[in-house]
Amino acid sequence: MKSYEIENIEMRKVYSSTLKSMIDEDKRVFVLEADLAEAISTNLLSQTNSENYINCGIMEANMIGVASGLSLIGNIPFVHTFSPFVTRRDFDQIFLSGAYAKNNIKILGSDPGIYAQHNGGTHTSFEDIALMRTIPNATVMSISDTTMMKNILKQIKDLYGIHYLSAVRKGSYKIYNENENFDIGKGKVLREGKDITIIACGIMVVEALKAADILSKEGIEATVIDMFTIKPIDKELIIKYSKLTKGIVTAENHNIIGGLGSAVAEIVVENNPLPMRRVGVEDRFGQVGTLDFLQKEYKLTVEDIIKKVREIV
């Protein structure tokens, strides 16, 4: 079975270094923080690129207002805070000042779901994707590794509108080589199999790949898709593999209500109904715990994916 390794560079380091390079090339790029600069490693930008760096303090809703103002005068604001604070707390501001006003804001919600760990239930967001999916014309993505993060940041810089990225801050598994390209709105087929299709996003992509390796030893061949863009979702790819395999299992670090599983189910039920199961958080609040504990507690493990596959195949 293939070994999947944690990357040497953290996601936050890639985020901050990519933003710095973009500011150096284009002074319209601004970085906005809600007093979490050290947490996401943008604190050095306050010294190297001070004219394009704004710490809005612990006033997340105001940060979206500032970003909207920057957009109105032709700038490209990138805003960050922990995922519940930039989605749940800021939803009205993103909806009205951002999307409804047709502004151009790039949003990173970090440490979604179980990655809140010791920050506990108040900092746990199992609903960020669901909330952002409901905003008209917003693009919603779940980032799998640092290669994807760097590539997507560079792409959305030149794409107008509301773009939401959900990603861990620290270690992530290495999935893609440095030359990989990502088409926003298109899923990435990482493995082909004739029996079952596993559609995953974010931290669950590697879990899906591990599950496929184990299933293969049992004679069950799984297609694994990294559906990193959840809105607009790759409708054609979902329909294609719904016809090629016996069923679909989705896997996400998110409530099964409103996230990837719901988005895939909407496509399946309207186009080619077939057996489907969802691996995700089953309508619960977050809690304090280690990553290993939380992954087992909320049934986001390799074993949970395999269990759902066996219910179909």
Side-chain angles (χ1 to χ4, degrees):
M1 186 169 69
K2 181 180 177 180
S3 175
Y4 299 95
E5 302 295 334
I6 295 289
E7 298 186 275
N8 292 325
I9 184 170
E10 294 180 331
M11 191 77 79
R12 59 184 176 178
K13 298 293 185 182
V14 171
Y15 178 73
S16 60
S17 63
T18 305
L19 288 181
K20 175 171 173 42
S21 67
M22 289 196 292
I23 292 172
D24 291 341
E25 294 173 0
D26 189 341
K27 295 306 179 184
R28 296 176 301 159
V29 175
F30 277 75
V31 176
L32 279 65
E33 288 293 339
D35 221 25
L36 283 175
E38 290 189 19
I40 200 65
S41 295
T42 58
N43 50 315
L44 292 179
L45 296 181
S46 65
Q47 302 169 29
T48 61
N49 302 86
S50 59
E51 293 184 357
N52 293 73
Y53 178 88
I54 303 172
N55 183 359
C56 296
I58 308 174
M59 295 180 286
E60 295 88 353
N62 180 61
M63 179 171 64
I64 300 300
V66 173
S68 299
L70 287 167
S71 170
L72 282 169
I73 57 174
N75 293 302
I76 308 170
F78 284 76
V79 305
H80 160 264
T81 185
F82 292 148
S83 60
F85 304 147
V86 82
T87 56
R88 208 163 60 212
R89 184 170 294 173
D90 290 355
F91 182 79
D92 190 50
Q93 285 73 25
I94 296 171
F95 192 102
L96 291 176
S97 299
Y100 184 75
K102 294 182 172 60
N103 276 314
N104 183 29
I105 307 174
K106 320 306 175 186
I107 303 165
L108 172 63
S110 67
D111 282 355
I114 60 173
Y115 269 75
Q117 297 181 75
H118 297 295
N119 283 325
T122 59
H123 287 53
T124 300
S125 174
F126 291 138
E127 68 290 314
D128 62 322
I129 298 295
L131 287 169
M132 298 305 290
R133 280 184 67 215
T134 65
I135 296 178
N137 303 312
T139 299
V140 181
M141 288 176 273
S142 181
I143 304 300
S144 309
D145 78 351
T146 60
T147 298
M148 181 185 289
M149 173 64 89
K150 183 176 181 180
N151 183 284
I152 294 298
L153 286 173
K154 289 181 176 180
Q155 286 193 61
I156 64 174
K157 181 248 176 186
D158 296 316
L159 297 174
Y160 197 90
I162 303 298
H163 291 78
Y164 177 69
L165 309 182
S166 178
V168 302
R169 284 186 303 125
K170 298 181 180 180
S172 62
Y173 284 97
K174 185 67 176 175
I175 300 172
Y176 299 103
N177 63 52
E178 296 304 316
N179 298 319
E180 193 75 38
N181 290 313
F182 302 90
D183 293 328
I184 294 174
K186 299 295 181 183
K188 299 280 289 186
V189 179
L190 303 181
R191 179 180 179 132
E192 295 273 5
K194 61 181 176 58
D195 297 311
I196 195 80
T197 298
I198 305 173
I199 302 176
C201 65
I203 67 166
M204 297 303 289
V205 173
V206 164
E207 303 303 310
L209 288 167
K210 291 177 181 177
D213 287 343
I214 294 171
L215 288 165
S216 180
K217 293 181 179 180
E218 301 176 8
I220 300 171
E221 296 300 331
T223 289
V224 176
I225 297 172
D226 182 350
M227 194 63 74
F228 68 92
T229 309
I230 302 170
K231 183 188 178 186
I233 201 162
D234 194 342
K235 177 179 178 180
E236 290 75 19
L237 193 65
I238 294 168
I239 294 172
K240 174 183 175 181
Y241 281 93
S242 73
K243 295 177 179 178
L244 291 176
T245 57
K246 300 171 186 175
I248 292 174
V249 173
T250 58
E252 59 191 312
N253 173 31
H254 187 277
N255 196 327
I256 58 170
I257 300 171
L260 174 66
S262 290
V264 172
E266 289 161 13
I267 302 300
V268 168
V269 74
E270 291 182 353
N271 293 276
N272 188 48
L274 79 165
M276 181 177 166
R277 299 290 187 274
R278 293 172 293 168
V279 173
V281 178
E282 298 182 1
D283 203 21
R284 297 177 60 189
F285 290 109
Q287 63 182 296
V288 170
T290 64
L291 188 60
D292 286 345
F293 166 78
L294 294 171
Q295 195 161 8
K296 292 174 183 176
E297 174 70 15
Y298 290 97
K299 299 179 181 179
L300 303 177
T301 68
V302 171
E303 290 74 21
D304 293 304
I305 296 174
I306 291 172
K307 179 181 177 180
K308 295 295 186 182
V309 168
R310 285 174 177 157
E311 290 178 9
I312 297 174
V313 179

